[in-house]
Amino acid sequence: MDYRILGPLEVLDGERRLTLGGTRQRAVLALLLLHGNEALPSEVIVDELWGESPPQTAVKVLQNCVSALRKELPGGPETLRTAGGGYALRVEPGELDRDRFERGLADGRAALAAGDAGEAAEQLRTALVLWRGTPLSDFVYERFAQDEIARLEEVHIAGVEDRIEADLALGGHAELAPELESLVARHPVRERLRGQLMLALYRSGRQAEALAAYREARRTLLDELGIEPGRALQELERAILAQEPGLDATPSQPAVGAVPGRRAASPVVGRDEELALLEAGLADALAGRGRLFVVAGAAGTGKTRLGDEIASRAKAAGARILWGRGWHGGGAPPFWPWIQALRDAGRDFPSPAGDDDGARFRAFEAVTELLREEAARQPLLLVFDDLQAADADSLLLIEFLASELPEMAVLMLALGREETPRLDELGRLATRTLHLGS
């Protein structure tokens, strides 16, 4: 089982996404997940879900919710069992994404404390990719969820800070500065982020901006909290003024993610929902459950930029990036996007040995098996850009592969304008079609 609360509540049994019913039934499951393997008395559940004035039918509604959940959950009453005067949900180790997330962060922090920045960055990125947005976002106004939502959001931003510390230790200061500026804007009183921004700017040869970042931090803390910056931030400012040699970056190993692929130059702005959906698909692909996402929009709406950002995150999580694109200039050979993508994998495209449908089908099967072999060695992000300029057979091959993705560690992105041929057919095979506005 795969229980997910780091975003909207989702439950998967292998490839099957469980139907969880209405809001109240989903809330019962979410509450039991927060107390996995713990017997919750019915009166506690009623109090958590309905508060001080539950309806007279609350216990009956709870019983009906449990009965419906048992019909959907594998194992039925053995998974969701009656315990005394209440209920307990059996959750095996690793089945809840929250537990995998916190364990991964702990492993990353342990590696960081041991001085292994490369291992720390890898562990932390793998954990952070599980984050799909506000935890339990279906229940942000429910009393039972609010404390856990607040706790997990604090755990998440602390994990991001740890990952940034690892990246700084690996010499990634130049590319971290834009990300840190965005994070500081969202979390203006977190002094650790302020210090990391100052250090990234200083190591990038931007001493004046690093000192300006300190002044801005001090002004914000005084205005919002009425306090001076802490000792660590004050000492960092003094060290920057003195240009102390200890501030210089001395990476002992290359930055994590130095595998073939693309690296986004700066954070994507205004696409949080789309990024959350694609990150969830990436997490699925890394776990061996491949996904296809279609991204459609007019020229200039940010399709390629969105693909770049997901490629950056996929590469950091250990995936290999294969990228192909249609060619508007004319004269490209058949299957040109596929030829480019497979070239990134060091493989040749197995062109059809003939013009008939049978030859094409055999070529499609050969490509699928080739990618299955590559994905077994290392998860893949397969991006096809400018599909409005691709040949028809390239689009058909995307459709062919899409039916095989659920058993492969491959996330496939199909990027094109709204007039892309066969866009509707691709959409029917996709986990989601994202239509980007201006």
Side-chain angles (χ1 to χ4, degrees), residues 269-286:
V269 178
R271 296 293 185 197
D272 291 349
E273 182 178 354
E274 291 86 351
L275 282 171
L277 288 167
L278 294 176
E279 278 201 306
L282 175 59
D284 281 346
L286 292 171

Side-chain angles (χ1 to χ4, degrees), residues 11 53 65-66 72 91 107 112 120 124 173 189 209 224 243 273 286 296 327 362 383 420 427-428:
V11 181
S53 303
C65 289
V66 168
E72 187 66 17
V91 181
D107 291 343
L112 195 59
L124 292 164
H173 42 269
V189 298
E209 292 172 71
E224 296 195 20
Q243 298 183 2
E273 182 178 354
L286 292 171
W327 169 245
R362 288 188 292 275
V383 184
T420 299
R428 281 193 284 272

Side-chain angles (χ1 to χ4, degrees), residues 406-430:
E407 298 178 355
M408 300 166 65
V410 178
L411 174 62
M412 183 162 58
L413 303 186
L415 317 179
R417 298 180 188 172
E418 297 286 358
E419 65 268 22
T420 299
R422 304 190 67 81
L423 193 64
D424 290 342
E425 288 81 356
L426 285 173
R428 281 193 284 272
L429 294 165

